[in-house]
Amino acid sequence: MLPHLSSPNPIWVRWCHVSLRLVPVRSREAAAFVREWHRHHAPPAGQIFAVGAADGDDILRAVAIVGRPVARHLDDRTTLEVTRTCSDGVRNANSLLYGAAWRAAKALGYSRLITYTQEGESGASLRGANWRVIAQRPARPGWHTPSRPRVSRGSAYVVRTLWEAAG
């Protein structure tokens, strides 16, 4: 017997078809969603905008947070970065959000949108949203230096792939 959809079992929901629609998301709501669902990162410190995906019952199922590029040399006033995407496991949500983030960034006058995936992440959501790989970034020991102490944010010693929205 399958669980009733009004009280979904999160594991079962991943394999059933859920219709999603884009919804506006406030900064605090997006941050709270990331705190609850993201597997290895906390919410980013700031954002330019966020967008969400909700199901037919108006339950928020995924969010994307877009902000200034983390790398200073990429912060050229025409580039934004998807600094976090997060879902409860519902299928196709991240592809929907990556596409929406690029359309919104273009509508706001930006000419470039980037994001990173970590080693072991397939990038299927990005390919599904027509993004392309533009660089591989080697693992680094983190951002801490004696002259500028920093707390680790979970990206030390991780190979990353840099993606760019195409079109």
Side-chain angles (χ1 to χ4, degrees), residues 147-162:
S147 63
R148 192 165 181 185
R150 296 191 179 125
V151 176
S152 175
R153 303 263 186 228
S155 60
Y157 300 103
V158 176
V159 175
R160 295 169 298 128
T161 302
L162 177 58

Side-chain angles (χ1 to χ4, degrees), residues 90-110:
V90 67
R91 294 175 62 93
N92 302 319
N94 282 331
S95 292
L96 176 73
L97 294 174
Y98 280 124
W102 175 227
R103 291 188 303 276
K106 283 193 302 187
L108 291 170
Y110 293 92

Side-chain angles (χ1 to χ4, degrees), residues 23 57 104 150:
V23 294
D57 294 324
R150 296 191 179 125

Side-chain angles (χ1 to χ4, degrees), residues 39-72:
R39 68 183 183 276
H40 56 79
H41 281 306
Q47 71 175 47
I48 301 295
F49 67 88
V51 63
D55 65 16
D57 294 324
D58 288 327
I59 296 171
L60 186 62
R61 305 297 299 272
V63 298
I65 300 173
V66 179
R68 291 174 48 197
V70 175
R72 287 179 295 182

Side-chain angles (χ1 to χ4, degrees), residues 94-96 98-99 115 117 121-133 136 161 163-166:
N94 282 331
S95 292
L96 176 73
Y98 280 124
T115 197
T117 54
E121 296 175 336
S122 72
S125 296
L126 290 155
R127 283 191 304 280
N130 199 32
W131 288 51
R132 65 174 188 233
V133 173
Q136 298 291 330
T161 302
W163 297 76
E164 180 179 66

